[in-house]
Amino acid sequence: MMKVFLGSDHGGFELKRRVLEHLKSQGYETEDLGCVDTSSCDYPVYGRKVAEQVVKNPGTRGIVVCGSGVGISIAANKIKGSRCVLANSVELARLGRSHNGANVLAMGERTKFIDAPIKIVDEFLKVEEDKDERHQRRRNLLNELGS
Ligand code: RB5
């Protein structure tokens, strides 16, 4: 079963906890890279940790959560080889995987969701990259940019 690295700041801690429980119940191998409680902390630390592990371990995925999802997704996208999609819907999770080849999913615990976060997670982990030439070409261009 695929391994999933998780990370959040205090603003995403509770949603990360729910996602972790769900993934364990589905049989995924998981590793929570922090934070460990709701004390105030810094999202770039955790976005970076998760993205670095995903890049080091091909075939794994990452899920990162902060209050808005924005800060931690920016952090994850700065790590070479990490491609993070910020999604509040199943549609964005699917497109982020199939077109863009995202290997990290970001969500914002304090934001409005179009679909339930667990459904977004399931879609992100299920969908494969679209092998169509035009999507491969665009993903290769992203690789040239560093991610
Ligand atoms: C923390 O208060 C908050 O700024 C953070 O979780 C996130 O929303 C940043 O983008």
Side-chain angles (χ1 to χ4, degrees):
M1 197 70 156
M2 180 191 292
K3 179 163 185 179
V4 184
F5 294 97
L6 293 103
S8 75
D9 72 352
H10 55 290
F13 180 76
E14 179 52 30
L15 177 54
K16 179 186 67 175
R17 200 191 53 72
R18 279 164 47 205
V19 170
L20 192 54
E21 232 169 59
H22 171 68
L23 294 179
K24 284 182 180 163
S25 79
Q26 298 301 300
Y28 285 97
E29 189 188 345
T30 57
E31 189 172 340
D32 182 2
L33 300 174
C35 62
V36 297
D37 58 31
T38 53
S39 321
S40 182
C41 62
D42 302 325
Y43 59 81
V45 172
Y46 301 100
R48 176 184 187 166
K49 278 190 183 186
V50 169
E52 284 179 343
Q53 285 308 309
V54 169
V55 172
K56 251 191 228 162
N57 298 279
T60 64
R61 304 260 173 91
I63 298 179
V64 292
V65 192
C66 67
S68 63
V70 175
I72 206 157
S73 66
I74 291 173
N77 273 318
K78 286 192 177 293
I79 304 303
K80 190 172 161 51
S82 157
R83 220 174 280 166
C84 180
V85 57
L86 170 55
N88 66 351
S89 68
V90 165
E91 181 182 34
L92 285 180
R94 180 170 61 248
L95 290 170
R97 277 292 305 145
S98 66
H99 288 192
N100 315 116
N103 49 12
V104 180
L105 167 69
M107 296 186 291
E109 179 179 330
R110 297 172 179 158
T111 66
K112 288 199 178 67
F113 280 83
I114 292 175
D115 300 303
I118 297 302
K119 290 215 162 104
I120 295 172
V121 166
D122 286 346
E123 187 78 357
F124 174 74
L125 296 176
K126 179 181 80 187
V127 172
E128 293 300 332
E129 293 182 7
D130 189 325
K131 300 292 184 225
D132 187 282
E133 192 278 329
R134 71 186 192 285
H135 293 306
Q136 299 218 37
R137 184 179 69 242
R138 291 163 190 163
R139 289 194 295 268
N140 287 339
L141 288 168
L142 287 179
N143 287 338
E144 285 175 23
L145 290 172
S147 68

